[in-house]
Amino acid sequence: MKIPFLGNRRKEPEVHDAEGIAGLLSECELLRHQAQRSGVRLDDTVASLEALDQLVPRWRDDAEVLEWLGNDAGLYLGTVIVGTVEGAHWGIRSDGQPVIRLASGREFDVVADGHEWAASGVPELSQLYAEVAEA
């Protein structure tokens, strides 16, 4: 007899809503605002990554904006990858960091890449995309 309140229950595996996670990670509100102010439309395409690479980096003078924009840039890069590279999907590492995982098993820390791009512009987001797409 299995009586649930007696504590002999098996835990059900935790299920993540992949679409919900992808939706949250794709918001990138600050980046979208900065892009819109500069006339760049973020439509989740490779062309929009190329357009972001051409923005004048006015955010580098504000450390707080730089931090948030770096996060957003990485999450947006991941959003484009997940939407256009077959087999790519979001994953969450044990430390809570969102990453992109390819069907091959390779993992990319796009948030770290976004921070590098926001701080220095190198490597370009479109270049990072090309490296992941070829992997």
Side-chain angles (χ1 to χ4, degrees), residues 31-32 35 40-55 76-77 79-81 84 117 125-126 129:
L31 180 69
R32 290 182 188 278
V40 173
R41 182 171 170 260
L42 299 185
D43 57 1
D44 300 349
T45 64
V46 178
S48 65
L49 293 174
E50 293 168 352
L52 284 172
D53 289 335
Q54 302 306 311
L55 290 180
Y76 184 71
L77 172 61
T79 297
V80 174
I81 292 169
T84 60
W117 174 83
L125 296 173
S126 57
Y129 173 86

Short mmCIF file of all heavy atoms in Angstrom, two decimals, residues 31-32 35 40-55 76-77 79-81 84 117 125-126 129:
data_model
loop_
_atom_site.label_atom_id
_atom_site.label_comp_id
_atom_site.label_asym_id
_atom_site.label_seq_id
_atom_site.Cartn_x
_atom_site.Cartn_y
_atom_site.Cartn_z
N LEU A 31 19.15 45.72 -24.36
CA LEU A 31 19.76 45.65 -25.69
C LEU A 31 18.75 46.05 -26.76
O LEU A 31 19.08 46.82 -27.67
CB LEU A 31 20.28 44.23 -25.97
CG LEU A 31 20.94 44.05 -27.33
CD1 LEU A 31 22.26 44.81 -27.39
CD2 LEU A 31 21.16 42.58 -27.61
N ARG A 32 17.55 45.59 -26.64
CA ARG A 32 16.52 45.94 -27.62
C ARG A 32 16.25 47.45 -27.62
O ARG A 32 16.08 48.06 -28.67
CB ARG A 32 15.24 45.14 -27.38
CG ARG A 32 15.40 43.66 -27.70
CD ARG A 32 14.12 42.85 -27.50
NE ARG A 32 14.36 41.43 -27.64
CZ ARG A 32 14.43 40.78 -28.80
NH1 ARG A 32 14.29 41.43 -29.94
NH2 ARG A 32 14.65 39.48 -28.82
N ALA A 35 19.29 49.19 -29.24
CA ALA A 35 19.26 48.95 -30.68
C ALA A 35 18.19 49.81 -31.35
O ALA A 35 18.45 50.45 -32.37
CB ALA A 35 19.01 47.47 -30.97
N VAL A 40 18.24 50.06 -35.15
CA VAL A 40 18.49 48.65 -35.47
C VAL A 40 17.31 47.83 -34.98
O VAL A 40 16.92 47.93 -33.83
CB VAL A 40 19.80 48.15 -34.81
CG1 VAL A 40 19.96 46.65 -35.00
CG2 VAL A 40 20.99 48.91 -35.37
N ARG A 41 16.77 47.03 -35.87
CA ARG A 41 15.65 46.16 -35.52
C ARG A 41 16.18 44.77 -35.18
O ARG A 41 16.85 44.14 -36.00
CB ARG A 41 14.67 46.07 -36.69
CG ARG A 41 13.46 45.24 -36.39
CD ARG A 41 12.42 45.35 -37.50
NE ARG A 41 11.39 44.37 -37.29
CZ ARG A 41 11.32 43.21 -37.93
NH1 ARG A 41 12.19 42.90 -38.86
NH2 ARG A 41 10.35 42.36 -37.67
N LEU A 42 15.90 44.32 -33.98
CA LEU A 42 16.33 42.99 -33.56
C LEU A 42 15.22 41.99 -33.87
O LEU A 42 14.22 41.91 -33.17
CB LEU A 42 16.67 42.98 -32.08
CG LEU A 42 17.81 43.90 -31.65
CD1 LEU A 42 18.13 43.71 -30.18
CD2 LEU A 42 19.04 43.69 -32.51
N ASP A 43 15.42 41.24 -34.95
CA ASP A 43 14.41 40.30 -35.43
C ASP A 43 14.89 38.85 -35.32
O ASP A 43 14.39 37.98 -36.01
CB ASP A 43 14.02 40.63 -36.86
CG ASP A 43 15.20 40.62 -37.82
OD1 ASP A 43 16.34 40.35 -37.38
OD2 ASP A 43 14.98 40.90 -39.00
N ASP A 44 15.85 38.62 -34.44
CA ASP A 44 16.36 37.27 -34.17
C ASP A 44 17.02 36.61 -35.39
O ASP A 44 16.95 35.39 -35.56
CB ASP A 44 15.27 36.36 -33.59
CG ASP A 44 14.68 36.90 -32.29
OD1 ASP A 44 15.26 37.84 -31.71
OD2 ASP A 44 13.67 36.37 -31.84
N THR A 45 17.66 37.43 -36.22
CA THR A 45 18.36 36.92 -37.40
C THR A 45 19.85 37.22 -37.31
O THR A 45 20.28 38.08 -36.53
CB THR A 45 17.82 37.57 -38.69
OG1 THR A 45 18.09 38.97 -38.64
CG2 THR A 45 16.33 37.31 -38.86
N VAL A 46 20.62 36.55 -38.14
CA VAL A 46 22.05 36.79 -38.22
C VAL A 46 22.31 38.23 -38.67
O VAL A 46 23.24 38.88 -38.18
CB VAL A 46 22.72 35.77 -39.18
CG1 VAL A 46 24.20 36.05 -39.29
CG2 VAL A 46 22.48 34.35 -38.70
N ALA A 47 21.47 38.74 -39.56
CA ALA A 47 21.64 40.12 -40.03
C ALA A 47 21.54 41.11 -38.87
O ALA A 47 22.25 42.12 -38.84
CB ALA A 47 20.61 40.45 -41.10
N SER A 48 20.70 40.82 -37.89
CA SER A 48 20.58 41.73 -36.75
C SER A 48 21.85 41.68 -35.88
O SER A 48 22.23 42.69 -35.29
CB SER A 48 19.33 41.43 -35.92
OG SER A 48 19.39 40.16 -35.33
N LEU A 49 22.51 40.53 -35.82
CA LEU A 49 23.79 40.45 -35.11
C LEU A 49 24.83 41.32 -35.81
O LEU A 49 25.60 42.04 -35.16
CB LEU A 49 24.29 39.01 -35.04
CG LEU A 49 23.48 38.02 -34.20
CD1 LEU A 49 24.02 36.62 -34.36
CD2 LEU A 49 23.46 38.44 -32.74
N GLU A 50 24.84 41.28 -37.13
CA GLU A 50 25.77 42.11 -37.90
C GLU A 50 25.48 43.59 -37.67
O GLU A 50 26.41 44.39 -37.54
CB GLU A 50 25.67 41.76 -39.39
CG GLU A 50 26.16 40.35 -39.69
CD GLU A 50 25.80 39.86 -41.09
OE1 GLU A 50 25.04 40.54 -41.81
OE2 GLU A 50 26.29 38.78 -41.45
N ALA A 51 24.21 43.96 -37.59
CA ALA A 51 23.84 45.35 -37.33
C ALA A 51 24.28 45.78 -35.93
O ALA A 51 24.76 46.90 -35.74
CB ALA A 51 22.34 45.53 -37.51
N LEU A 52 24.14 44.90 -34.94
CA LEU A 52 24.60 45.22 -33.59
C LEU A 52 26.10 45.45 -33.55
O LEU A 52 26.58 46.34 -32.83
CB LEU A 52 24.23 44.09 -32.62
CG LEU A 52 22.78 44.01 -32.18
CD1 LEU A 52 22.54 42.73 -31.38
CD2 LEU A 52 22.39 45.23 -31.37
N ASP A 53 26.84 44.68 -34.34
CA ASP A 53 28.29 44.84 -34.38
C ASP A 53 28.70 46.23 -34.88
O ASP A 53 29.80 46.69 -34.59
CB ASP A 53 28.92 43.77 -35.29
CG ASP A 53 28.88 42.39 -34.68
OD1 ASP A 53 28.82 42.28 -33.44
OD2 ASP A 53 28.91 41.40 -35.44
N GLN A 54 27.80 46.90 -35.59
CA GLN A 54 28.10 48.22 -36.15
C GLN A 54 27.69 49.38 -35.24
O GLN A 54 27.99 50.54 -35.54
CB GLN A 54 27.41 48.37 -37.52
CG GLN A 54 27.81 47.31 -38.53
CD GLN A 54 29.31 47.21 -38.71
OE1 GLN A 54 29.99 48.21 -38.90
NE2 GLN A 54 29.84 46.00 -38.64
N LEU A 55 27.02 49.09 -34.13
CA LEU A 55 26.58 50.17 -33.23
C LEU A 55 27.77 50.89 -32.60
O LEU A 55 28.78 50.27 -32.28
CB LEU A 55 25.72 49.61 -32.10
CG LEU A 55 24.33 49.10 -32.45
CD1 LEU A 55 23.63 48.59 -31.19
CD2 LEU A 55 23.50 50.17 -33.11
N TYR A 76 20.88 37.48 -26.36
CA TYR A 76 20.36 37.68 -27.72
C TYR A 76 21.12 36.80 -28.72
O TYR A 76 20.51 36.16 -29.58
CB TYR A 76 20.43 39.15 -28.13
CG TYR A 76 19.80 39.37 -29.48
CD1 TYR A 76 18.42 39.29 -29.63
CD2 TYR A 76 20.57 39.61 -30.61
CE1 TYR A 76 17.83 39.45 -30.87
CE2 TYR A 76 19.98 39.78 -31.84
CZ TYR A 76 18.61 39.70 -31.97
OH TYR A 76 18.03 39.85 -33.20
N LEU A 77 22.43 36.73 -28.58
CA LEU A 77 23.22 35.84 -29.44
C LEU A 77 22.70 34.41 -29.30
O LEU A 77 22.49 33.72 -30.30
CB LEU A 77 24.70 35.91 -29.04
CG LEU A 77 25.64 34.90 -29.71
CD1 LEU A 77 25.67 35.06 -31.22
CD2 LEU A 77 27.04 35.03 -29.10
N THR A 79 19.73 33.46 -28.41
CA THR A 79 18.40 33.40 -29.00
C THR A 79 18.48 33.19 -30.51
O THR A 79 17.76 32.37 -31.08
CB THR A 79 17.61 34.69 -28.69
OG1 THR A 79 17.45 34.78 -27.26
CG2 THR A 79 16.27 34.72 -29.36
N VAL A 80 19.39 33.92 -31.16
CA VAL A 80 19.56 33.77 -32.61
C VAL A 80 20.09 32.37 -32.92
O VAL A 80 19.61 31.71 -33.86
CB VAL A 80 20.48 34.87 -33.18
CG1 VAL A 80 20.77 34.62 -34.66
CG2 VAL A 80 19.86 36.26 -32.98
N ILE A 81 21.04 31.90 -32.15
CA ILE A 81 21.60 30.56 -32.38
C ILE A 81 20.52 29.49 -32.25
O ILE A 81 20.36 28.63 -33.12
CB ILE A 81 22.78 30.28 -31.43
CG1 ILE A 81 23.96 31.19 -31.77
CG2 ILE A 81 23.18 28.81 -31.48
CD1 ILE A 81 25.06 31.19 -30.72
N THR A 84 18.16 29.44 -35.19
CA THR A 84 18.65 29.23 -36.56
C THR A 84 19.61 28.05 -36.75
O THR A 84 19.84 27.64 -37.88
CB THR A 84 19.34 30.51 -37.08
OG1 THR A 84 20.44 30.83 -36.22
CG2 THR A 84 18.38 31.68 -37.14
N TRP A 117 31.96 41.19 -25.86
CA TRP A 117 31.53 42.05 -26.96
C TRP A 117 31.16 43.44 -26.44
O TRP A 117 31.57 44.44 -27.02
CB TRP A 117 30.34 41.43 -27.70
CG TRP A 117 29.78 42.33 -28.73
CD1 TRP A 117 30.24 42.50 -30.01
CD2 TRP A 117 28.65 43.21 -28.59
NE1 TRP A 117 29.48 43.44 -30.66
CE2 TRP A 117 28.50 43.88 -29.81
CE3 TRP A 117 27.77 43.48 -27.55
CZ2 TRP A 117 27.48 44.82 -30.02
CZ3 TRP A 117 26.77 44.41 -27.75
CH2 TRP A 117 26.64 45.07 -28.98
N LEU A 125 29.63 39.74 -32.51
CA LEU A 125 28.55 38.78 -32.32
C LEU A 125 28.34 37.92 -33.56
O LEU A 125 28.12 36.72 -33.45
CB LEU A 125 27.26 39.51 -31.95
CG LEU A 125 27.28 40.27 -30.62
CD1 LEU A 125 26.01 41.08 -30.44
CD2 LEU A 125 27.49 39.33 -29.45
N SER A 126 28.43 38.54 -34.73
CA SER A 126 28.24 37.77 -35.97
C SER A 126 29.36 36.74 -36.16
O SER A 126 29.13 35.65 -36.68
CB SER A 126 28.15 38.70 -37.17
OG SER A 126 29.30 39.52 -37.27
N TYR A 129 28.61 33.88 -33.81
CA TYR A 129 27.53 33.07 -34.40
C TYR A 129 28.12 32.13 -35.45
O TYR A 129 27.79 30.94 -35.48
CB TYR A 129 26.46 33.96 -35.05
CG TYR A 129 25.45 33.15 -35.81
CD1 TYR A 129 24.35 32.60 -35.15
CD2 TYR A 129 25.62 32.88 -37.15
CE1 TYR A 129 23.44 31.81 -35.83
CE2 TYR A 129 24.70 32.08 -37.84
CZ TYR A 129 23.64 31.57 -37.18
OH TYR A 129 22.74 30.78 -37.86
#
